Amino acid sequence: QVQLVESGGGLVQAGGSLRLSCTASGSIFSIGAMGWYRQAPGKQRGLVASITGGGNTNYADSVKGRFTISRDNAKNTVYLQMNSLKPEDTAVYYCNADVKHTGWPLGGIVYWGQGTQVTVSS
């Protein structure tokens, strides 16, 4: 009974910026790792960036130096700031979160958002 709601996707020109957000709601006690994945037409879904509950980050080589992942634990939200966008960044972007439920001591459960389209024109 957790929902991840994404926002911020859209159409931008190459070199532009976009900020994605993903907010989790439901019977949440705390959230561990959170991440962003993307899937382009004809390609498999792959990791873009992840952030642990302690704030450690990891990025795909293709986005290092251009994208920044961050989180606001008080809002149960993860962000992806995307700068210097390239046409090859065009994809559906998905967020996920490892959620610990209120009153449930048996570990976290991973939930996924519905995906949001990012299109970068040349």
Side-chain angles (χ1 to χ4, degrees):
Q1 296 185 342
V2 169
Q3 184 178 33
L4 302 184
V5 179
E6 301 166 336
S7 63
L11 173 65
V12 298
Q13 291 185 311
S17 297
L18 208 60
R19 189 192 192 209
L20 306 182
S21 65
C22 174
T23 299
S25 61
S27 58
I28 299 170
F29 178 76
S30 64
I31 300 177
M34 306 181 80
W36 289 95
Y37 293 72
R38 68 186 181 186
Q39 186 169 24
K43 300 183 67 176
Q44 294 189 12
R45 184 170 61 187
L47 176 70
V48 177
S50 63
I51 183 167
T52 68
N56 293 324
T57 59
N58 184 55
Y59 297 92
D61 288 341
S62 59
V63 307
K64 286 182 179 178
R66 300 188 297 120
F67 291 9
T68 302
I69 188 171
S70 61
R71 63 191 291 165
D72 185 337
N73 291 330
K75 296 182 178 181
N76 291 329
T77 298
V78 62
Y79 305 93
L80 186 67
Q81 178 66 47
M82 304 184 293
N83 299 326
S84 301
L85 283 162
K86 305 174 181 179
E88 50 263 45
D89 294 319
T90 295
V92 177
Y93 284 70
Y94 301 88
C95 68
N96 75 353
D98 183 10
V99 177
K100 293 184 177 294
H101 289 259
T102 301
W104 183 253
L106 300 183
I109 300 172
V110 176
Y111 293 88
W112 290 85
Q114 77 288 346
T116 184
Q117 178 71 47
V118 172
T119 302
V120 184
S121 62
S122 61

